[in-house]
PDB file of all heavy atoms in Angstrom:
ATOM      1  N   ALA H 259      63.004   2.662 -98.127  1.00 93.00           N
ATOM      2  CA  ALA H 259      62.720   3.933 -97.469  1.00 93.00           C
ATOM      3  C   ALA H 259      63.967   4.815 -97.423  1.00 93.00           C
ATOM      4  O   ALA H 259      65.070   4.334 -97.174  1.00 93.00           O
ATOM      5  CB  ALA H 259      62.211   3.692 -96.049  1.00 93.00           C
ATOM      6  N   THR H 260      63.791   6.106 -97.663  1.00 89.00           N
ATOM      7  CA  THR H 260      64.879   7.072 -97.589  1.00 89.00           C
ATOM      8  C   THR H 260      64.730   7.921 -96.332  1.00 89.00           C
ATOM      9  O   THR H 260      63.687   7.888 -95.661  1.00 89.00           O
ATOM     10  CB  THR H 260      64.868   8.002 -98.817  1.00 89.00           C
ATOM     11  OG1 THR H 260      63.689   8.826 -98.768  1.00 89.00           O
ATOM     12  CG2 THR H 260      64.875   7.192-100.113  1.00 89.00           C
ATOM     13  N   ASP H 261      65.746   8.722 -96.028  1.00 85.00           N
ATOM     14  CA  ASP H 261      65.660   9.614 -94.876  1.00 85.00           C
ATOM     15  C   ASP H 261      64.528  10.626 -95.043  1.00 85.00           C
ATOM     16  O   ASP H 261      63.893  11.032 -94.066  1.00 85.00           O
ATOM     17  CB  ASP H 261      66.992  10.338 -94.668  1.00 85.00           C
ATOM     18  CG  ASP H 261      68.058   9.435 -94.064  1.00 85.00           C
ATOM     19  OD1 ASP H 261      67.691   8.359 -93.550  1.00 85.00           O
ATOM     20  OD2 ASP H 261      69.241   9.796 -94.104  1.00 85.00           O
ATOM     21  N   ASP H 262      64.274  11.069 -96.280  1.00 87.00           N
ATOM     22  CA  ASP H 262      63.157  11.977 -96.513  1.00 87.00           C
ATOM     23  C   ASP H 262      61.831  11.325 -96.139  1.00 87.00           C
ATOM     24  O   ASP H 262      60.928  11.982 -95.602  1.00 87.00           O
ATOM     25  CB  ASP H 262      63.109  12.411 -97.986  1.00 87.00           C
ATOM     26  CG  ASP H 262      64.113  13.508 -98.296  1.00 87.00           C
ATOM     27  OD1 ASP H 262      64.596  14.171 -97.350  1.00 87.00           O
ATOM     28  OD2 ASP H 262      64.427  13.706 -99.490  1.00 87.00           O
ATOM     29  N   ASP H 263      61.697  10.030 -96.409  1.00 90.00           N
ATOM     30  CA  ASP H 263      60.459   9.317 -96.071  1.00 90.00           C
ATOM     31  C   ASP H 263      60.256   9.229 -94.561  1.00 90.00           C
ATOM     32  O   ASP H 263      59.118   9.069 -94.095  1.00 90.00           O
ATOM     33  CB  ASP H 263      60.478   7.898 -96.651  1.00 90.00           C
ATOM     34  CG  ASP H 263      60.468   7.878 -98.166  1.00 90.00           C
ATOM     35  OD1 ASP H 263      59.733   8.684 -98.760  1.00 90.00           O
ATOM     36  OD2 ASP H 263      61.200   7.060 -98.751  1.00 90.00           O
ATOM     37  N   LEU H 264      61.345   9.316 -93.795  1.00 89.00           N
ATOM     38  CA  LEU H 264      61.272   9.151 -92.337  1.00 89.00           C
ATOM     39  C   LEU H 264      61.177  10.474 -91.594  1.00 89.00           C
ATOM     40  O   LEU H 264      61.077  10.483 -90.360  1.00 89.00           O
ATOM     41  CB  LEU H 264      62.515   8.396 -91.849  1.00 89.00           C
ATOM     42  CG  LEU H 264      62.686   6.978 -92.386  1.00 89.00           C
ATOM     43  CD1 LEU H 264      64.052   6.432 -92.016  1.00 89.00           C
ATOM     44  CD2 LEU H 264      61.594   6.066 -91.843  1.00 89.00           C
ATOM     45  N   ASP H 265      61.176  11.571 -92.322  1.00 85.00           N
ATOM     46  CA  ASP H 265      61.241  12.883 -91.690  1.00 85.00           C
ATOM     47  C   ASP H 265      59.969  13.198 -90.902  1.00 85.00           C
ATOM     48  O   ASP H 265      58.852  12.996 -91.385  1.00 85.00           O
ATOM     49  CB  ASP H 265      61.460  13.951 -92.763  1.00 85.00           C
ATOM     50  CG  ASP H 265      61.827  15.300 -92.175  1.00 85.00           C
ATOM     51  OD1 ASP H 265      62.514  15.329 -91.141  1.00 85.00           O
ATOM     52  OD2 ASP H 265      61.416  16.326 -92.747  1.00 85.00           O
ATOM     53  N   ASN H 266      60.154  13.695 -89.674  1.00 83.00           N
ATOM     54  CA  ASN H 266      59.051  14.211 -88.844  1.00 83.00           C
ATOM     55  C   ASN H 266      57.944  13.199 -88.565  1.00 83.00           C
ATOM     56  O   ASN H 266      56.788  13.577 -88.400  1.00 83.00           O
ATOM     57  CB  ASN H 266      58.437  15.466 -89.483  1.00 83.00           C
ATOM     58  CG  ASN H 266      59.272  16.696 -89.230  1.00 83.00           C
ATOM     59  OD1 ASN H 266      59.899  16.834 -88.176  1.00 83.00           O
ATOM     60  ND2 ASN H 266      59.300  17.599 -90.200  1.00 83.00           N
ATOM     61  N   LEU H 267      58.268  11.934 -88.469  1.00 87.00           N
ATOM     62  CA  LEU H 267      57.249  10.933 -88.147  1.00 87.00           C
ATOM     63  C   LEU H 267      56.646  11.149 -86.767  1.00 87.00           C
ATOM     64  O   LEU H 267      55.463  10.900 -86.550  1.00 87.00           O
ATOM     65  CB  LEU H 267      57.859   9.529 -88.212  1.00 87.00           C
ATOM     66  CG  LEU H 267      58.002   8.896 -89.596  1.00 87.00           C
ATOM     67  CD1 LEU H 267      58.766   7.596 -89.484  1.00 87.00           C
ATOM     68  CD2 LEU H 267      56.640   8.655 -90.226  1.00 87.00           C
ATOM     69  N   SER H 268      57.467  11.607 -85.836  1.00 84.00           N
ATOM     70  CA  SER H 268      56.997  11.731 -84.454  1.00 84.00           C
ATOM     71  C   SER H 268      55.881  12.756 -84.307  1.00 84.00           C
ATOM     72  O   SER H 268      55.102  12.698 -83.347  1.00 84.00           O
ATOM     73  CB  SER H 268      58.154  12.091 -83.524  1.00 84.00           C
ATOM     74  OG  SER H 268      58.816  13.251 -83.981  1.00 84.00           O
ATOM     75  N   THR H 269      55.776  13.688 -85.249  1.00 83.00           N
ATOM     76  CA  THR H 269      54.701  14.686 -85.140  1.00 83.00           C
ATOM     77  C   THR H 269      53.330  14.048 -85.335  1.00 83.00           C
ATOM     78  O   THR H 269      52.328  14.575 -84.843  1.00 83.00           O
ATOM     79  CB  THR H 269      54.888  15.809 -86.173  1.00 83.00           C
ATOM     80  OG1 THR H 269      54.883  15.241 -87.491  1.00 83.00           O
ATOM     81  CG2 THR H 269      56.213  16.524 -85.959  1.00 83.00           C
ATOM     82  N   LEU H 270      53.274  12.901 -86.026  1.00 86.00           N
ATOM     83  CA  LEU H 270      51.984  12.245 -86.239  1.00 86.00           C
ATOM     84  C   LEU H 270      51.371  11.787 -84.919  1.00 86.00           C
ATOM     85  O   LEU H 270      50.153  11.832 -84.746  1.00 86.00           O
ATOM     86  CB  LEU H 270      52.158  11.045 -87.164  1.00 86.00           C
ATOM     87  CG  LEU H 270      52.538  11.331 -88.616  1.00 86.00           C
ATOM     88  CD1 LEU H 270      52.780  10.028 -89.360  1.00 86.00           C
ATOM     89  CD2 LEU H 270      51.446  12.134 -89.304  1.00 86.00           C
ATOM     90  N   THR H 271      52.220  11.332 -83.994  1.00 86.00           N
ATOM     91  CA  THR H 271      51.696  10.842 -82.720  1.00 86.00           C
ATOM     92  C   THR H 271      51.032  11.962 -81.926  1.00 86.00           C
ATOM     93  O   THR H 271      50.121  11.708 -81.144  1.00 86.00           O
ATOM     94  CB  THR H 271      52.820  10.233 -81.875  1.00 86.00           C
ATOM     95  OG1 THR H 271      53.826  11.232 -81.630  1.00 86.00           O
ATOM     96  CG2 THR H 271      53.463   9.065 -82.593  1.00 86.00           C
ATOM     97  N   MET H 272      51.471  13.195 -82.142  1.00 85.00           N
ATOM     98  CA  MET H 272      50.939  14.306 -81.360  1.00 85.00           C
ATOM     99  C   MET H 272      49.580  14.780 -81.864  1.00 85.00           C
ATOM    100  O   MET H 272      48.956  15.640 -81.250  1.00 85.00           O
ATOM    101  CB  MET H 272      51.933  15.468 -81.362  1.00 85.00           C
ATOM    102  CG  MET H 272      53.287  15.112 -80.781  1.00 85.00           C
ATOM    103  SD  MET H 272      53.166  14.249 -79.191  1.00 85.00           S
ATOM    104  CE  MET H 272      52.425  15.506 -78.174  1.00 85.00           C
ATOM    105  N   SER H 273      49.122  14.227 -82.981  1.00 86.00           N
ATOM    106  CA  SER H 273      47.783  14.569 -83.461  1.00 86.00           C
ATOM    107  C   SER H 273      46.715  13.701 -82.824  1.00 86.00           C
ATOM    108  O   SER H 273      45.517  13.911 -83.046  1.00 86.00           O
ATOM    109  CB  SER H 273      47.718  14.446 -84.988  1.00 86.00           C
ATOM    110  OG  SER H 273      47.949  13.109 -85.398  1.00 86.00           O
ATOM    111  N   LEU H 274      47.139  12.709 -82.017  1.00 88.00           N
ATOM    112  CA  LEU H 274      46.190  11.835 -81.340  1.00 88.00           C
ATOM    113  C   LEU H 274      45.623  12.535 -80.105  1.00 88.00           C
ATOM    114  O   LEU H 274      46.365  13.036 -79.261  1.00 88.00           O
ATOM    115  CB  LEU H 274      46.882  10.537 -80.925  1.00 88.00           C
ATOM    116  CG  LEU H 274      47.277   9.610 -82.065  1.00 88.00           C
ATOM    117  CD1 LEU H 274      48.231   8.537 -81.572  1.00 88.00           C
ATOM    118  CD2 LEU H 274      46.048   8.957 -82.667  1.00 88.00           C
ATOM    119  N   GLU H 275      44.331  12.569 -80.011  1.00 91.00           N
ATOM    120  CA  GLU H 275      43.673  13.244 -78.889  1.00 91.00           C
ATOM    121  C   GLU H 275      44.042  12.577 -77.564  1.00 91.00           C
ATOM    122  O   GLU H 275      44.028  11.350 -77.449  1.00 91.00           O
ATOM    123  CB  GLU H 275      42.153  13.208 -79.081  1.00 91.00           C
ATOM    124  CG  GLU H 275      41.380  14.031 -78.064  1.00 91.00           C
ATOM    125  CD  GLU H 275      39.893  14.070 -78.364  1.00 91.00           C
ATOM    126  OE1 GLU H 275      39.460  13.431 -79.339  1.00 91.00           O
ATOM    127  OE2 GLU H 275      39.171  14.758 -77.626  1.00 91.00           O
ATOM    128  N   GLY H 276      44.397  13.389 -76.568  1.00 92.00           N
ATOM    129  CA  GLY H 276      44.731  12.880 -75.252  1.00 92.00           C
ATOM    130  C   GLY H 276      46.183  12.487 -75.059  1.00 92.00           C
ATOM    131  O   GLY H 276      46.594  12.163 -73.946  1.00 92.00           O
ATOM    132  N   VAL H 277      46.987  12.507 -76.133  1.00 92.00           N
ATOM    133  CA  VAL H 277      48.406  12.127 -76.037  1.00 92.00           C
ATOM    134  C   VAL H 277      49.253  13.354 -75.718  1.00 92.00           C
ATOM    135  O   VAL H 277      49.184  14.368 -76.414  1.00 92.00           O
ATOM    136  CB  VAL H 277      48.888  11.473 -77.353  1.00 92.00           C
ATOM    137  CG1 VAL H 277      50.404  11.315 -77.348  1.00 92.00           C
ATOM    138  CG2 VAL H 277      48.221  10.123 -77.543  1.00 92.00           C
ATOM    139  N   ASP H 278      50.032  13.276 -74.648  1.00 92.00           N
ATOM    140  CA  ASP H 278      50.945  14.354 -74.258  1.00 92.00           C
ATOM    141  C   ASP H 278      52.381  14.077 -74.677  1.00 92.00           C
ATOM    142  O   ASP H 278      53.209  14.986 -74.711  1.00 92.00           O
ATOM    143  CB  ASP H 278      50.921  14.556 -72.740  1.00 92.00           C
ATOM    144  CG  ASP H 278      49.595  15.106 -72.247  1.00 92.00           C
ATOM    145  OD1 ASP H 278      48.937  15.832 -73.016  1.00 92.00           O
ATOM    146  OD2 ASP H 278      49.210  14.786 -71.109  1.00 92.00           O
ATOM    147  N   CYS H 279      52.709  12.810 -74.965  1.00 91.00           N
ATOM    148  CA  CYS H 279      54.077  12.445 -75.314  1.00 91.00           C
ATOM    149  C   CYS H 279      54.059  11.355 -76.385  1.00 91.00           C
ATOM    150  O   CYS H 279      53.480  10.284 -76.166  1.00 91.00           O
ATOM    151  CB  CYS H 279      54.825  11.950 -74.075  1.00 91.00           C
ATOM    152  SG  CYS H 279      56.522  11.408 -74.396  1.00 91.00           S
ATOM    153  N   GLY H 280      54.671  11.647 -77.536  1.00 92.00           N
ATOM    154  CA  GLY H 280      54.764  10.676 -78.610  1.00 92.00           C
ATOM    155  C   GLY H 280      56.206  10.281 -78.849  1.00 92.00           C
ATOM    156  O   GLY H 280      57.091  11.142 -78.925  1.00 92.00           O
ATOM    157  N   ILE H 281      56.466   8.979 -78.956  1.00 92.00           N
ATOM    158  CA  ILE H 281      57.830   8.455 -79.093  1.00 92.00           C
ATOM    159  C   ILE H 281      57.902   7.540 -80.312  1.00 92.00           C
ATOM    160  O   ILE H 281      57.115   6.597 -80.427  1.00 92.00           O
ATOM    161  CB  ILE H 281      58.252   7.667 -77.836  1.00 92.00           C
ATOM    162  CG1 ILE H 281      58.139   8.545 -76.581  1.00 92.00           C
ATOM    163  CG2 ILE H 281      59.666   7.122 -77.991  1.00 92.00           C
ATOM    164  CD1 ILE H 281      58.310   7.778 -75.283  1.00 92.00           C
ATOM    165  N   ILE H 282      58.830   7.834 -81.209  1.00 93.00           N
ATOM    166  CA  ILE H 282      59.057   6.990 -82.381  1.00 93.00           C
ATOM    167  C   ILE H 282      60.502   6.497 -82.359  1.00 93.00           C
ATOM    168  O   ILE H 282      61.431   7.284 -82.204  1.00 93.00           O
ATOM    169  CB  ILE H 282      58.801   7.756 -83.694  1.00 93.00           C
ATOM    170  CG1 ILE H 282      57.368   8.276 -83.738  1.00 93.00           C
ATOM    171  CG2 ILE H 282      59.091   6.858 -84.901  1.00 93.00           C
ATOM    172  CD1 ILE H 282      56.318   7.183 -83.729  1.00 93.00           C
ATOM    173  N   LEU H 283      60.682   5.180 -82.517  1.00 93.00           N
ATOM    174  CA  LEU H 283      62.009   4.574 -82.572  1.00 93.00           C
ATOM    175  C   LEU H 283      62.251   4.062 -83.986  1.00 93.00           C
ATOM    176  O   LEU H 283      61.449   3.288 -84.517  1.00 93.00           O
ATOM    177  CB  LEU H 283      62.122   3.418 -81.582  1.00 93.00           C
ATOM    178  CG  LEU H 283      61.953   3.757 -80.096  1.00 93.00           C
ATOM    179  CD1 LEU H 283      60.495   3.592 -79.677  1.00 93.00           C
ATOM    180  CD2 LEU H 283      62.834   2.858 -79.238  1.00 93.00           C
ATOM    181  N   THR H 284      63.346   4.495 -84.587  1.00 93.00           N
ATOM    182  CA  THR H 284      63.707   4.072 -85.934  1.00 93.00           C
ATOM    183  C   THR H 284      65.079   3.412 -85.886  1.00 93.00           C
ATOM    184  O   THR H 284      66.049   4.033 -85.447  1.00 93.00           O
ATOM    185  CB  THR H 284      63.750   5.277 -86.895  1.00 93.00           C
ATOM    186  OG1 THR H 284      62.504   5.987 -86.825  1.00 93.00           O
ATOM    187  CG2 THR H 284      63.985   4.816 -88.323  1.00 93.00           C
ATOM    188  N   GLN H 285      65.167   2.175 -86.324  1.00 92.00           N
ATOM    189  CA  GLN H 285      66.421   1.434 -86.217  1.00 92.00           C
ATOM    190  C   GLN H 285      67.456   1.960 -87.203  1.00 92.00           C
ATOM    191  O   GLN H 285      67.168   2.163 -88.387  1.00 92.00           O
ATOM    192  CB  GLN H 285      66.187  -0.049 -86.454  1.00 92.00           C
ATOM    193  CG  GLN H 285      67.381  -0.915 -86.082  1.00 92.00           C
ATOM    194  CD  GLN H 285      67.057  -2.390 -86.149  1.00 92.00           C
ATOM    195  OE1 GLN H 285      66.197  -2.817 -86.918  1.00 92.00           O
ATOM    196  NE2 GLN H 285      67.738  -3.182 -85.332  1.00 92.00           N
ATOM    197  N   ASN H 286      68.660   2.186 -86.697  1.00 88.00           N
ATOM    198  CA  ASN H 286      69.759   2.650 -87.530  1.00 88.00           C
ATOM    199  C   ASN H 286      70.241   1.555 -88.465  1.00 88.00           C
ATOM    200  O   ASN H 286      70.120   0.362 -88.170  1.00 88.00           O
ATOM    201  CB  ASN H 286      70.947   3.089 -86.659  1.00 88.00           C
ATOM    202  CG  ASN H 286      70.651   4.315 -85.845  1.00 88.00           C
ATOM    203  OD1 ASN H 286      69.781   5.111 -86.189  1.00 88.00           O
ATOM    204  ND2 ASN H 286      71.368   4.486 -84.750  1.00 88.00           N
ATOM    205  N   ARG H 287      70.816   1.975 -89.555  1.00 84.00           N
ATOM    206  CA  ARG H 287      71.492   1.037 -90.449  1.00 84.00           C
ATOM    207  C   ARG H 287      72.908   0.808 -89.899  1.00 84.00           C
ATOM    208  O   ARG H 287      73.588   1.734 -89.539  1.00 84.00           O
ATOM    209  CB  ARG H 287      71.543   1.603 -91.861  1.00 84.00           C
ATOM    210  CG  ARG H 287      72.167   0.663 -92.887  1.00 84.00           C
ATOM    211  CD  ARG H 287      72.141   1.270 -94.269  1.00 84.00           C
ATOM    212  NE  ARG H 287      70.802   1.230 -94.857  1.00 84.00           N
ATOM    213  CZ  ARG H 287      70.009   2.284 -94.990  1.00 84.00           C
ATOM    214  NH1 ARG H 287      70.413   3.469 -94.563  1.00 84.00           N
ATOM    215  NH2 ARG H 287      68.808   2.182 -95.525  1.00 84.00           N
ATOM    216  N   GLY H 288      73.329  -0.427 -89.792  1.00 80.00           N
ATOM    217  CA  GLY H 288      74.696  -0.708 -89.350  1.00 80.00           C
ATOM    218  C   GLY H 288      74.753  -1.198 -87.919  1.00 80.00           C
ATOM    219  O   GLY H 288      74.916  -2.393 -87.669  1.00 80.00           O
ATOM    220  N   ASP H 289      74.594  -0.296 -86.935  1.00 80.00           N
ATOM    221  CA  ASP H 289      74.779  -0.708 -85.540  1.00 80.00           C
ATOM    222  C   ASP H 289      73.524  -1.303 -84.913  1.00 80.00           C
ATOM    223  O   ASP H 289      73.586  -1.856 -83.805  1.00 80.00           O
ATOM    224  CB  ASP H 289      75.313   0.450 -84.693  1.00 80.00           C
ATOM    225  CG  ASP H 289      74.331   1.613 -84.563  1.00 80.00           C
ATOM    226  OD1 ASP H 289      73.172   1.484 -84.993  1.00 80.00           O
ATOM    227  OD2 ASP H 289      74.736   2.662 -84.014  1.00 80.00           O
ATOM    228  N   GLY H 290      72.374  -1.198 -85.567  1.00 83.00           N
ATOM    229  CA  GLY H 290      71.163  -1.814 -85.057  1.00 83.00           C
ATOM    230  C   GLY H 290      70.511  -1.092 -83.899  1.00 83.00           C
ATOM    231  O   GLY H 290      69.473  -1.529 -83.389  1.00 83.00           O
ATOM    232  N   ARG H 291      71.107   0.008 -83.450  1.00 87.00           N
ATOM    233  CA  ARG H 291      70.507   0.775 -82.358  1.00 87.00           C
ATOM    234  C   ARG H 291      69.295   1.555 -82.882  1.00 87.00           C
ATOM    235  O   ARG H 291      69.061   1.613 -84.088  1.00 87.00           O
ATOM    236  CB  ARG H 291      71.535   1.720 -81.746  1.00 87.00           C
ATOM    237  CG  ARG H 291      72.798   1.024 -81.262  1.00 87.00           C
ATOM    238  CD  ARG H 291      73.773   2.030 -80.669  1.00 87.00           C
ATOM    239  NE  ARG H 291      73.371   2.443 -79.339  1.00 87.00           N
ATOM    240  CZ  ARG H 291      73.779   3.572 -78.748  1.00 87.00           C
ATOM    241  NH1 ARG H 291      74.569   4.413 -79.399  1.00 87.00           N
ATOM    242  NH2 ARG H 291      73.392   3.874 -77.524  1.00 87.00           N
ATOM    243  N   TYR H 292      68.533   2.143 -81.959  1.00 90.00           N
ATOM    244  CA  TYR H 292      67.326   2.857 -82.351  1.00 90.00           C
ATOM    245  C   TYR H 292      67.470   4.356 -82.106  1.00 90.00           C
ATOM    246  O   TYR H 292      67.806   4.788 -81.003  1.00 90.00           O
ATOM    247  CB  TYR H 292      66.109   2.319 -81.587  1.00 90.00           C
ATOM    248  CG  TYR H 292      65.624   0.993 -82.127  1.00 90.00           C
ATOM    249  CD1 TYR H 292      66.204  -0.200 -81.715  1.00 90.00           C
ATOM    250  CD2 TYR H 292      64.613   0.946 -83.088  1.00 90.00           C
ATOM    251  CE1 TYR H 292      65.778  -1.413 -82.228  1.00 90.00           C
ATOM    252  CE2 TYR H 292      64.178  -0.263 -83.605  1.00 90.00           C
ATOM    253  CZ  TYR H 292      64.761  -1.438 -83.173  1.00 90.00           C
ATOM    254  OH  TYR H 292      64.339  -2.634 -83.686  1.00 90.00           O
ATOM    255  N   LYS H 293      67.220   5.116 -83.159  1.00 90.00           N
ATOM    256  CA  LYS H 293      67.149   6.570 -83.044  1.00 90.00           C
ATOM    257  C   LYS H 293      65.758   6.917 -82.515  1.00 90.00           C
ATOM    258  O   LYS H 293      64.746   6.484 -83.062  1.00 90.00           O
ATOM    259  CB  LYS H 293      67.368   7.227 -84.400  1.00 90.00           C
ATOM    260  CG  LYS H 293      67.206   8.735 -84.409  1.00 90.00           C
ATOM    261  CD  LYS H 293      67.393   9.286 -85.814  1.00 90.00           C
ATOM    262  CE  LYS H 293      67.190  10.796 -85.848  1.00 90.00           C
ATOM    263  NZ  LYS H 293      65.767  11.173 -85.654  1.00 90.00           N
ATOM    264  N   VAL H 294      65.715   7.680 -81.433  1.00 91.00           N
ATOM    265  CA  VAL H 294      64.459   7.994 -80.760  1.00 91.00           C
ATOM    266  C   VAL H 294      64.106   9.465 -80.990  1.00 91.00           C
ATOM    267  O   VAL H 294      64.941  10.350 -80.787  1.00 91.00           O
ATOM    268  CB  VAL H 294      64.567   7.727 -79.244  1.00 91.00           C
ATOM    269  CG1 VAL H 294      63.244   8.046 -78.555  1.00 91.00           C
ATOM    270  CG2 VAL H 294      64.974   6.282 -78.990  1.00 91.00           C
ATOM    271  N   SER H 295      62.876   9.705 -81.413  1.00 92.00           N
ATOM    272  CA  SER H 295      62.356  11.067 -81.531  1.00 92.00           C
ATOM    273  C   SER H 295      61.187  11.206 -80.568  1.00 92.00           C
ATOM    274  O   SER H 295      60.260  10.389 -80.588  1.00 92.00           O
ATOM    275  CB  SER H 295      61.884  11.363 -82.956  1.00 92.00           C
ATOM    276  OG  SER H 295      62.965  11.357 -83.857  1.00 92.00           O
ATOM    277  N   VAL H 296      61.248  12.212 -79.715  1.00 92.00           N
ATOM    278  CA  VAL H 296      60.210  12.440 -78.709  1.00 92.00           C
ATOM    279  C   VAL H 296      59.577  13.805 -78.942  1.00 92.00           C
ATOM    280  O   VAL H 296      60.288  14.803 -79.096  1.00 92.00           O
ATOM    281  CB  VAL H 296      60.793  12.369 -77.279  1.00 92.00           C
ATOM    282  CG1 VAL H 296      59.687  12.600 -76.247  1.00 92.00           C
ATOM    283  CG2 VAL H 296      61.474  11.030 -77.042  1.00 92.00           C
ATOM    284  N   ARG H 297      58.262  13.838 -78.975  1.00 92.00           N
ATOM    285  CA  ARG H 297      57.515  15.098 -79.084  1.00 92.00           C
ATOM    286  C   ARG H 297      56.533  15.154 -77.930  1.00 92.00           C
ATOM    287  O   ARG H 297      55.944  14.125 -77.554  1.00 92.00           O
ATOM    288  CB  ARG H 297      56.765  15.187 -80.415  1.00 92.00           C
ATOM    289  CG  ARG H 297      57.665  15.195 -81.642  1.00 92.00           C
ATOM    290  CD  ARG H 297      58.487  16.469 -81.730  1.00 92.00           C
ATOM    291  NE  ARG H 297      59.281  16.524 -82.939  1.00 92.00           N
ATOM    292  CZ  ARG H 297      60.508  16.049 -83.069  1.00 92.00           C
ATOM    293  NH1 ARG H 297      61.086  15.445 -82.033  1.00 92.00           N
ATOM    294  NH2 ARG H 297      61.160  16.154 -84.201  1.00 92.00           N
ATOM    295  N   THR H 298      56.334  16.338 -77.361  1.00 92.00           N
ATOM    296  CA  THR H 298      55.468  16.457 -76.191  1.00 92.00           C
ATOM    297  C   THR H 298      54.591  17.696 -76.253  1.00 92.00           C
ATOM    298  O   THR H 298      54.884  18.661 -76.960  1.00 92.00           O
ATOM    299  CB  THR H 298      56.295  16.538 -74.889  1.00 92.00           C
ATOM    300  OG1 THR H 298      57.145  17.700 -74.946  1.00 92.00           O
ATOM    301  CG2 THR H 298      57.127  15.295 -74.670  1.00 92.00           C
ATOM    302  N   HIS H 299      53.499  17.642 -75.505  1.00 88.00           N
ATOM    303  CA  HIS H 299      52.730  18.814 -75.138  1.00 88.00           C
ATOM    304  C   HIS H 299      53.018  19.103 -73.668  1.00 88.00           C
ATOM    305  O   HIS H 299      53.466  18.221 -72.931  1.00 88.00           O
ATOM    306  CB  HIS H 299      51.222  18.567 -75.307  1.00 88.00           C
ATOM    307  CG  HIS H 299      50.788  18.347 -76.725  1.00 88.00           C
ATOM    308  ND1 HIS H 299      51.157  19.186 -77.751  1.00 88.00           N
ATOM    309  CD2 HIS H 299      50.008  17.376 -77.290  1.00 88.00           C
ATOM    310  CE1 HIS H 299      50.631  18.756 -78.884  1.00 88.00           C
ATOM    311  NE2 HIS H 299      49.935  17.660 -78.637  1.00 88.00           N
ATOM    312  N   LYS H 300      52.767  20.329 -73.227  1.00 84.00           N
ATOM    313  CA  LYS H 300      52.917  20.640 -71.810  1.00 84.00           C
ATOM    314  C   LYS H 300      51.969  19.760 -71.010  1.00 84.00           C
ATOM    315  O   LYS H 300      50.860  19.474 -71.442  1.00 84.00           O
ATOM    316  CB  LYS H 300      52.578  22.118 -71.569  1.00 84.00           C
ATOM    317  CG  LYS H 300      53.582  23.089 -72.179  1.00 84.00           C
ATOM    318  CD  LYS H 300      53.189  24.530 -71.881  1.00 84.00           C
ATOM    319  CE  LYS H 300      54.205  25.505 -72.492  1.00 84.00           C
ATOM    320  NZ  LYS H 300      53.830  26.904 -72.236  1.00 84.00           N
ATOM    321  N   PRO H 301      52.386  19.282 -69.816  1.00 84.00           N
ATOM    322  CA  PRO H 301      53.596  19.633 -69.069  1.00 84.00           C
ATOM    323  C   PRO H 301      54.782  18.684 -69.319  1.00 84.00           C
ATOM    324  O   PRO H 301      55.818  18.841 -68.704  1.00 84.00           O
ATOM    325  CB  PRO H 301      53.130  19.492 -67.622  1.00 84.00           C
ATOM    326  CG  PRO H 301      52.167  18.338 -67.677  1.00 84.00           C
ATOM    327  CD  PRO H 301      51.450  18.471 -69.003  1.00 84.00           C
TER     328      PRO H 301
END
């Protein structure tokens, strides 16, 4: 997988009916930590 393949994944969660907050965690290469992307609808 490349960075282009990982682009804007979190927007997919927001297409789910009834979801106000979508969270995607992608593990970094090297330090093993997780990059978090959060997308929300109001409120």
Side-chain angles (χ1 to χ4, degrees):
T260 67
D261 285 345
D262 280 342
D263 294 319
L264 298 171
D265 192 34
N266 281 326
L267 279 173
S268 54
T269 59
L270 293 175
T271 59
M272 300 312 296
S273 63
L274 291 167
E275 187 175 2
V277 170
D278 292 330
C279 178
I281 303 170
I282 301 297
L283 298 92
T284 306
Q285 192 172 28
N286 293 336
R287 183 178 285 106
D289 65 8
R291 304 180 77 201
Y292 284 84
K293 175 182 178 289
V294 181
S295 294
V296 180
R297 297 292 184 271
T298 61
H299 295 311
K300 292 181 180 179

